[in-house]
Amino acid sequence: MSDLISLLAETWAYLLANSARFFELLREHLTLVFVSEALAIIVAVPLGIAATRNDRVNSIVSGFGNVAQTVPTLAVIALAFPILGLGFLPSVVGLFAYSLLPILTNTIAGIESVSDSTVDAARGMGMTDWEILRKVRLPLALPVIFAGIRTSVVLNVGSAYLAFFIGGGGLGVWVIGGIKLFSTTQLLAGAIPGALLAITLDGLLGLAQRRLGTETASDRTAAAA
Amino acid sequence: MIQFDNVHKQYSDGTQAVNGLSFEVEEGTTTVLVGPSGCGKTTTMQLVNRLEEPTEGTVYYDGTDIQELPATELRRQIGYVIQDIGLFDHMTIAENVATVPELKGWDDDRTDERVDELLDLMGLPPEEYRESYPGELSGGQQQRVGVARALAAGPDVMLMDEPFGALDPITRENLQDEFLDIQEEIETTIIFVTHDINEALKMGDKIAMMNDGELVQYDTPAAMLEAPATKFVEDFIGPDRTLKQLRVLQVSEIMRTEVPDEHRDVVDAFDPADTVMADGGELIPVTPTDSAQVALSRCIQAGVRALPVVEDATVIGVVTEEDIRGYHADEIEATSE
Ligand SMILES: Nc1ncnc2c1ncn2[C@@H]1O[C@H](COP(=O)(O)OP(=O)(O)OP(=O)(O)O)[C@@H](O)[C@H]1O
Ligand SMILES: [Mg+2]
């Protein structure tokens, strides 16, 4: 127990002593996460929508999804390396590819979970396919899509540690460096902030999701009861 | 207004849902599609607003083949109450009702006014329900919203697929009565689906009875009760056909405007000042729109053989037990000839 406390104290001291470097690594880490995540959202949501509207897109997307699920993050990043070389760009591409999946599957699931009777009502009242999507399907699917984004962000914070291997920087520099140098303090100084970052982002997004939920139907009955 | 001409519908899985349907729905009337589950009622209805397309035959809207009308425009002209209510859970009640006016591009003031008017009409005070969400309403209230939503843009035609299904009998009766009143105001052509023969008899000007995708009989409620076309129709109506006939027969059709001497006493006993209400076996008059069944039941209850028929607090005639029985005897004679 006292070992652990002294270890944490050492880590804290290490962080204070290297705070400039720490913030640099944290900034790199956050940039990797946010850029790749933003790209993933921009691509996955429309792709998910397209998949629900076209059977061919759907089979391609779900085929890709099934394969992607079995490929480890490291492999994705390793694959990006021979094509794009070293540095920030290949790291973002790797993380982007890995963040796509949860958003994609949730977008498809969210849109398909809208009941047939609701869609029939919308069509029967004279909404065009586009109006049905915009006014009915998407708003009803939004909480599910958002849940996918939340999962994806948390995964992304963890995966971004691996960017170190292809020179993408981030907190992985300290963690992997710490392992190589047998420096537990350096390792923890890199790992703990990442864990806290994941927890914080998850909490914030959870809060936002609940607000979204009260503005749409899913949680309302529970809230009213 | 709506005409089916030898319409067939086969689904892609081979199910023959509608088989050679031909009938016409007149403008301003209510036609009820009735029949057992799976006989093709919903499919028939969806052929009108082009949610389904016929595989053979033609459906005409106001004389035009509906295939020639743009589907979304057509649907915005036709109010649609779907079988599963299908309210939009993420929208408020007001937003739900405003769906079609908004699609049609009405300005906000006009839409708001219309929404309030309809919520009032359906017995949902706007101040209380405008901002509610469907999840907060009871099943009966949701069905009312479904009907209000279909009425919103003043449609020429209403398609109502079991609009009062899944309700307890009392709420259901109430909604039926309210809707009959509303119907008189709106004068819309209505196609109404139910699998309940009593609801069909009550709501319909015409009844189209279906079985296995085919039209078995198309008639007025009275005619169908008098002369069921097949054994199936007879069975579907049930064993109490005579009682049902009395229910669709209005007092106005059998009342006498000249009071026979023998029944003068019941008319004299009627005092417009206070006897309209019943108390302790008192004589309760009937109105011209009451059913013969109500009249007969009140005769039996009060132990009299005739009742005054009252409109606007004045006696306009009498209806006698004898005439009710006699009317039925005439019917039997007429149909056996
Ligand atoms: N989309 C579809 N694809 C294939 N078959 C269908 C489809 N919709 C309905 N059917 C079939 O067509 C037949 C008629 O169905 P329909 O829904 O019109 O009946 P219904 O009279 O409305 O029944 P209910 O009273 O149960 O609502 C049934 O056998 C049904 O299973
Ligand atoms: Mg049906």
Side-chain angles (χ1 to χ4, degrees):
Chain A
M1 191 66 200
S2 62
D3 280 358
L4 184 66
I5 291 170
S6 63
L7 196 59
L8 287 177
E10 279 172 45
T11 306
W12 183 241
Y14 184 89
L15 273 173
L16 289 180
N18 299 280
S19 61
R21 177 75 177 134
F22 169 72
F23 284 113
E24 192 188 330
L25 291 178
L26 182 66
R27 191 184 48 74
E28 284 174 6
H29 204 96
L30 284 172
T31 312
L32 283 171
V33 169
F34 286 127
V35 173
S36 60
E37 191 65 35
L39 288 174
I41 294 170
I42 292 169
V43 172
V45 174
L47 198 60
I49 294 169
T52 60
R53 292 166 68 79
N54 182 314
D55 286 343
R56 265 195 54 200
V57 178
N58 200 349
S59 59
I60 295 168
V61 163
S62 49
F64 158 80
N66 286 335
V67 174
Q69 226 151 10
T70 61
V71 180
T73 327
L74 195 53
V76 175
I77 289 186
L79 278 173
F81 161 63
I83 305 165
L84 295 163
L86 292 171
F88 177 75
L89 183 68
S91 305
V92 165
V93 170
L95 291 173
F96 155 79
Y98 208 70
S99 307
L100 277 177
L101 202 60
I103 309 176
L104 197 57
T105 46
N106 275 44
T107 303
I108 295 174
I111 289 178
E112 286 185 345
S113 71
V114 176
S115 76
D116 286 347
S117 64
T118 307
V119 175
D120 267 0
R123 178 164 297 121
M125 271 180 293
M127 287 194 196
T128 60
D129 283 350
W130 167 243
E131 284 164 338
I132 293 173
L133 180 68
R134 194 165 50 88
K135 296 183 178 183
V136 178
R137 285 190 189 270
L138 274 181
L140 284 170
L142 205 57
V144 183
I145 297 175
F146 203 82
I149 294 175
R150 186 176 162 195
T151 309
S152 168
V153 166
V154 173
L155 280 175
N156 200 336
V157 171
S159 308
Y161 277 93
L162 301 172
F164 163 78
F165 287 112
I166 50 171
L171 293 168
V173 172
W174 273 2
V175 174
I176 315 292
I179 294 171
K180 280 188 187 148
L181 301 169
F182 299 106
S183 161
T184 317
T185 32
Q186 194 189 348
L187 187 153
L188 288 178
I192 293 173
L196 293 176
L197 180 65
I199 293 169
T200 312
L201 286 176
D202 185 53
L204 284 176
L205 290 172
L207 219 64
Q209 191 183 344
R210 222 159 300 133
R211 290 198 66 145
L212 210 65
T214 44
E215 270 159 40
T216 55
S218 46
D219 294 334
R220 185 171 314 103
T221 1
Chain B
M1 185 77 194
I2 307 283
Q3 195 190 344
F4 280 75
D5 182 16
N6 190 32
V7 175
H8 295 254
K9 171 68 192 182
Q10 184 168 30
Y11 283 108
S12 47
D13 66 354
T15 313
Q16 188 73 42
V18 167
N19 210 345
L21 218 53
S22 294
F23 68 100
E24 189 172 351
V25 177
E26 310 237 338
E27 188 161 354
T29 65
T30 300
T31 292
V32 179
L33 302 177
V34 68
S37 189
C39 70
K41 305 182 294 292
T42 298
T43 306
T44 304
M45 185 161 268
Q46 293 184 335
L47 287 166
V48 177
N49 64 2
R50 294 191 61 187
L51 285 180
E52 298 294 347
E53 305 288 2
T55 37
E56 207 187 310
T58 316
V59 181
Y60 296 95
Y61 179 95
D62 237 353
T64 316
D65 181 350
I66 60 161
Q67 298 294 322
E68 285 162 21
L69 300 167
T72 51
E73 294 306 312
L74 179 74
R75 291 174 190 148
R76 289 173 194 184
Q77 279 328 113
I78 299 180
Y80 185 36
V81 184
I82 80 160
Q83 193 163 0
D84 308 305
I85 310 176
L87 294 182
F88 304 130
D89 287 338
H90 61 294
M91 296 184 189
T92 63
I93 299 307
E95 287 166 347
N96 265 281
V97 176
T99 306
V100 182
E102 203 212 308
L103 290 172
K104 287 189 152 187
W106 288 18
D107 65 53
D108 290 352
D109 288 346
R110 184 171 170 212
T111 304
D112 287 350
E113 209 172 293
R114 180 66 179 155
V115 168
D116 286 355
E117 182 187 330
L118 281 164
L119 290 178
D120 263 331
L121 190 69
M122 296 310 298
L124 299 165
E127 320 77 62
E128 198 175 330
Y129 290 100
R130 266 186 148 274
E131 304 306 321
S132 304
Y133 283 87
E136 299 164 359
L137 268 54
S138 71
Q141 291 170 329
Q142 291 189 16
Q143 293 209 307
R144 286 164 195 260
V145 176
V147 174
R149 183 175 65 173
L151 285 170
D156 302 327
V157 173
M158 284 276 278
L159 305 177
M160 307 178 75
D161 199 345
E162 310 211 15
F164 312 134
L167 288 181
D168 63 277
I170 295 174
T171 314
R172 188 171 194 174
E173 286 264 342
N174 286 342
L175 269 180
Q176 287 168 351
D177 290 336
E178 286 170 30
F179 192 73
L180 284 173
D181 290 342
I182 293 169
Q183 193 187 335
E184 275 182 17
E185 276 176 49
I186 58 178
E187 292 175 344
T188 304
T189 308
I190 299 171
I191 299 183
F192 190 108
V193 163
T194 179
H195 54 244
D196 174 0
I197 184 68
N198 288 317
E199 186 166 68
L201 292 169
K202 182 170 179 179
M203 306 304 287
D205 295 310
K206 279 282 195 71
I207 297 179
M209 191 173 292
M210 296 179 66
N211 187 27
D212 261 348
E214 291 179 13
L215 187 65
V216 198
Q217 187 169 2
Y218 186 50
D219 250 324
T220 62
M224 189 171 281
L225 288 170
E226 267 164 44
T230 65
K231 179 87 172 52
F232 172 81
V233 179
E234 197 174 329
D235 289 346
F236 200 87
I237 292 170
D240 57 343
R241 192 148 60 89
T242 311
L243 212 56
K244 290 191 167 97
Q245 262 176 302
L246 293 183
R247 206 178 300 153
V248 300
L249 180 64
Q250 286 200 344
V251 165
S252 61
E253 295 172 62
I254 45 163
M255 65 181 249
R256 292 165 185 251
T257 42
E258 305 222 340
V259 182
D261 286 343
E262 47 175 329
H263 297 308
R264 190 126 303 281
D265 53 333
V266 296
V267 175
D268 294 341
F270 174 72
D271 172 5
D274 69 2
T275 61
V276 187
M277 287 284 107
D279 45 46
E282 281 289 277
L283 193 67
I284 318 165
V286 289
T287 65
T289 54
D290 276 332
S291 70
Q293 188 194 32
V294 167
L296 188 62
S297 140
R298 286 189 188 158
C299 279
I300 295 170
Q301 208 179 336
V304 294
R305 309 228 352 270
L307 288 174
V309 181
V310 173
E311 192 168 38
D312 298 331
T314 8
V315 177
I316 58 166
V318 286
V319 56
T320 70
E321 189 184 329
E322 203 179 338
D323 288 344
I324 296 173
R325 289 177 186 278
Y327 179 86
H328 185 60
D330 288 351
E331 290 305 331
I332 292 170
E333 228 164 78
T335 53
S336 60
E337 265 165 24

